[in-house]
Amino acid sequence: MWLKAYLDITVRRPTWAKVADILIAKAAASTRPKTGIDTRINTFTQNWDVSARRAKGLPEDLRRMIMTAKKYGVCCETRNPGLEIRNELPVWHHLQEKAGRSTANSEASICLRERHGVTTVIQCLRIAQRLENGENNHRKNNKCKCYECDRDRRTMGCLNPHRCVIAARKMIAKIKMKWNPEGRANDDGLTLTRRRKEANKRAEENKGRIIFDPSMKQEGPIANALRVFVKDRDKLQTAALRPRKSYGVEGEEVEVFTDGSCVKNGLDGASAGSGIWFGDGDARNASERVPYETQTNQVAEIHAITMAGEKVPPFAPLHIVSD
């Protein structure tokens, strides 16, 4: 329960967990570059490790908590992180920072932390975007007098705002695409809009047809992306996105009925099967034994849908009727 409460990185997070962050940051393993404690926000949302050695002085309760987390593979991992999660992650010691020399100790980085108050990716991105925002008249030199740079000098005491802008842009560029807020999203038009999702809710209430949303992503806050029992081989380096379509042809709509069942469901010796039906005498009608080790009714239902998808061209709208 201690670990669960500690990982609840929301407004409900207990005060003791915030104190624990400071104590854990002081017990960082010596394998990371020597940076100030202000760069270590949370070991589970950043790329730095904690030493569980007693010599590090970590209180015994916290030491056991960290050892438990390591034992059961607790980490921040998701197949496709949503924009809120990408933005909220700490930008220092980022989870997926590209290989190369750390710039966390550079003069500009220190200024970003101490004067600009940069902690998260979104805070860093807002500063970096001055380079692309033509409306603010930013000039690429240390004498820039645009509104933001002038404000930074007057209110934050930043001596060279443009240098900090360049440093912020480089930090964003070092984040790998899976977690980068400027990374590619599904752009093939299949992702459901807000109106389509609302229409789905009404259709579900009226037992009508629901349009499947193929864009599965983990929405925020960060706590939603924390997982347990994660091994290194399970971590994806790239986001689980659909490949871009290489064609613009759309076929005729296809309707298929799918079903799955299981004998002795949930018991030893269970046997599951799946079936698909496109219509009387249709050559695509098929049934088969579920080819996986897990034999359950739910697996059979999912396998039936997979069978149907393999029988239909990828560009044809597919209506699946299933219970």
Side-chain angles (χ1 to χ4, degrees):
M1 292 301 293
W2 276 55
L3 182 58
K4 183 178 180 180
Y6 177 75
L7 295 175
D8 186 14
I9 309 175
T10 63
V11 294
R12 303 185 303 270
R13 199 170 189 230
T15 302
W16 70 262
K18 300 174 183 178
V19 176
D21 282 339
I22 299 173
L23 297 175
I24 292 172
K26 291 181 178 179
S30 57
T31 55
R32 294 297 301 168
K34 291 185 178 180
T35 54
I37 193 173
D38 56 339
T39 65
R40 305 181 207 130
I41 312 302
N42 189 294
T43 183
F44 297 104
T45 60
Q46 292 177 285
N47 186 24
W48 57 274
D49 197 12
V50 182
S51 174
R53 294 188 301 115
R54 286 188 170 86
K56 284 288 186 177
L58 199 62
E60 188 61 24
D61 288 337
L62 292 182
R63 195 180 76 86
R64 288 201 299 267
M65 184 185 76
I66 292 297
M67 291 176 66
T68 300
K70 289 183 177 182
K71 178 179 179 181
Y72 293 105
V74 176
C75 71
C76 184
E77 170 60 21
T78 178
R79 293 301 193 236
N80 187 16
L83 188 58
E84 182 181 352
I85 292 177
R86 300 184 193 203
N87 284 338
E88 288 185 359
L89 281 174
V91 71
W92 312 106
H93 305 304
H94 195 277
L95 278 176
Q96 276 205 346
E97 188 177 69
K98 295 177 183 177
R101 188 172 66 90
S102 173
T103 59
N105 281 331
S106 70
E107 193 172 345
S109 294
I110 293 173
C111 185
L112 284 171
R113 288 197 301 273
E114 296 181 354
R115 293 187 174 89
H116 298 263
V118 171
T119 300
T120 63
V121 170
I122 187 59
Q123 292 170 332
C124 189
L125 180 61
R126 286 170 182 156
I127 294 176
Q129 285 175 335
R130 291 184 203 176
L131 292 173
E132 293 84 30
N133 185 5
E135 296 180 0
N136 67 352
N137 298 316
H138 179 77
R139 296 292 180 267
K140 299 180 180 180
N141 58 63
N142 59 3
K143 296 180 180 180
C144 176
K145 295 182 180 180
C146 72
Y147 172 77
E148 287 87 353
C149 288
D150 183 59
R151 178 202 58 201
D152 291 351
R153 291 189 187 93
R154 289 185 291 102
T155 64
M156 300 178 184
C158 177
L159 301 178
N160 192 339
H162 178 64
R163 180 182 61 187
C164 291
V165 171
I166 294 297
R169 171 47 65 193
K170 289 180 178 179
M171 291 184 65
I172 296 297
K174 288 189 69 175
I175 301 173
K176 294 181 180 179
M177 283 296 103
K178 176 180 175 179
W179 296 93
N180 196 307
E182 297 178 321
R184 185 178 79 85
N186 286 310
D187 53 4
D188 51 13
L190 296 178
T191 301
L192 296 191
T193 62
R194 178 177 57 82
R195 289 185 179 180
R196 285 181 177 177
K197 291 179 180 179
E198 292 174 352
N200 267 356
K201 291 181 181 179
R202 294 192 295 270
E204 186 175 9
E205 293 171 357
N206 298 320
K207 298 186 181 302
R209 296 196 173 203
I210 297 174
I211 299 176
F212 175 67
D213 189 352
S215 300
M216 299 299 179
K217 63 181 178 179
Q218 181 61 67
E219 302 291 354
I222 294 178
N224 292 346
L226 294 172
R227 300 286 186 269
V228 67
F229 305 124
V230 177
K231 298 179 180 179
D232 287 341
R233 67 171 182 267
D234 298 327
K235 297 179 181 179
L236 288 181
Q237 296 300 309
T238 57
L241 301 175
R242 295 185 297 278
R244 289 188 171 94
K245 292 195 297 184
S246 57
Y247 41 76
V249 180
E250 192 164 288
E252 296 182 358
E253 294 187 1
V254 179
E255 182 176 84
V256 58
F257 290 76
T258 68
D259 199 9
S261 63
C262 182
V263 178
K264 296 183 179 180
N265 190 43
L267 302 175
D268 291 337
S271 179
S274 305
I276 56 175
W277 187 80
F278 288 86
D280 290 334
D282 196 302
R284 295 170 296 182
N285 296 342
S287 62
E288 66 181 43
R289 172 80 179 271
V290 172
Y292 311 116
E293 181 179 352
T294 303
Q295 300 282 306
T296 67
N297 184 66
Q298 291 85 352
V299 172
E301 296 278 5
I302 295 173
H303 181 60
I305 295 174
T306 302
M307 291 170 59
E310 293 174 347
K311 297 281 187 177
V312 178
F315 46 80
L318 177 63
H319 296 276
I320 296 174
V321 183
S322 177
D323 57 1

